[in-house]
Amino acid sequence: MSNFSKVILKKGKEESILRFHPWIFSGAIDRIVGNVEEGDVVTVHAADDRFLGIGHSSIGSIAVRIFSFHEVVPDLSFWCEKFQSAFNVRKKIGLISRRETNVFRLVHGEGDGMPGLIVDFYNGTAVLQAHTVGMWLIRDMLAEAMKTVLGEMLTSVYDKSSKSLPFKASVEPVDGYLLGFLTTHEVMEDGNRFIVDWEDGQKTGFFVDQRENRKLLSEYAFGKDVLNMFCYTGGFSFSALRGGANLVHSVDSSTKAIELTNQNVKLNFPGDTRHEAFESEAFEYMKNINGRYDLIILDPPAFAKHKNVLNQALQGYKRLNTRAFQQIRSGGVLFTFSCSQVVTKTNFREAIFSAAAISKRNVRILHQLSQPGDHPVNIYHPEGEYLKGLVLYVE
Ligand code: SAH
């Protein structure tokens, strides 16, 4: 323990850590004993030197992210225990060895007691994204720990941290396999097959967090004319097609997304003429769709990545949803989402409320959606709840 530098907090600043919040803000620090570089393991102490936790140091306003509130040695066996615990949760949810689903999130940062680390499992390949230098520096040990826990289930580990590490990080990551090699890019979610491009795709390559919401959508799709706006790999489109939609239009502004969607449609529904994909900007496409759709999905990228653009983001959600309310068929259903962490459930609800009021439509909330159990929220870290959705009946 003694070989780690010590971060000593100002008097009284230990309160949040005593309530197991894993972040230490730089303003709470009185002094540091020892030489600390970005990504180093440090121990955190109260002003009276009491041990509080151990974590990775970062530059920026969150100076330490705690991974244990006990005096542990963060070696291979420590990380094996962490992965075992995360794995047990996925097992409990029923995601391990499910025949029709072989994609899930294995590690969800703070939600799994591993701040700064995201791991998605894709049919044998674990795609790792370090959001802190501390996690990135120990990536080989993390890969080894995953192999120990997952055994045969895991054929390879791919590190895709070059885009997730902080912009100003002092390291130069190069993406690539840490363990094993590529076997397949094909995964299955609830019977739908997808080609996941973790090398070049967004985030880890697929939006695993919408699994349960996609399933719910399929129950609303029968006989409907569906618009899947911001389709990316086409996830919601397949749920709609499986659910018996009359027609499905997938829209995204990215050429790559349209290619992926079409490729995946071919894989699942070869020759199905109910589906068409359009490369278009969302507002542009929604200018002139009056009465054309009775089921619309709006799953845009995070409009706000930082607190200071929150208002702008809320305006964005309001404008987008106003369009949908104005144009959806009478008796239509709108699935609308926000994945911005800084936008709270209440913020989002208010933006949708304003949009409904502008359109003067009669709107009922049918479901309030969130993220699934493989994206758990640490009860002491409510900031981890990021995905919000509403299913709305528009009279
Ligand atoms: N619904 C998807 C995930 C959406 S990710 C799923 O279930 O997997 C957000 C998508 O929005 C990206 O594919 C991005 O290319 C697209 N996008 C971003 N800005 C856009 C815009 N202004 N108009 C249309 N699409 C946009």
Side-chain angles (χ1 to χ4, degrees), residues 100-131:
E100 69 285 12
T101 298
N102 55 29
V103 41
F104 58 87
R105 177 153 291 190
L106 174 65
V107 177
H108 187 60
E110 284 82 355
D112 285 300
M114 292 188 250
L117 184 67
I118 294 294
V119 181
D120 285 334
F121 181 85
Y122 292 120
N123 188 17
T125 299
V127 179
L128 173 158
Q129 276 199 320
H131 289 255

Side-chain angles (χ1 to χ4, degrees), residues 4-23:
F4 299 123
S5 296
K6 279 168 96 168
V7 170
I8 318 278
L9 301 186
K10 290 177 185 158
K11 210 165 167 225
K13 290 292 183 190
E14 69 276 22
E15 296 224 324
S16 73
I17 190 169
L18 289 174
R19 276 182 274 116
F20 308 112
H21 195 285
W23 293 348

Side-chain angles (χ1 to χ4, degrees), residues 99-103 186-194:
R99 225 169 37 129
E100 69 285 12
T101 298
N102 55 29
V103 41
E186 190 179 315
V187 306
M188 188 146 60
E189 179 191 85
D190 285 318
N192 289 320
R193 291 156 70 196
F194 293 88

Side-chain angles (χ1 to χ4, degrees), residues 202 206-207 210 214 228-236 251-254 257 280-283 297 299-301:
Q202 300 178 39
F206 186 68
F207 287 82
Q210 291 285 22
R214 286 194 270 256
N228 179 14
M229 182 53 76
F230 309 100
C231 65
Y232 188 35
T233 55
F236 281 107
V251 179
D252 201 290
S253 59
S254 132
S280 172
E281 199 283 323
F283 285 97
I297 302 111
D299 183 23

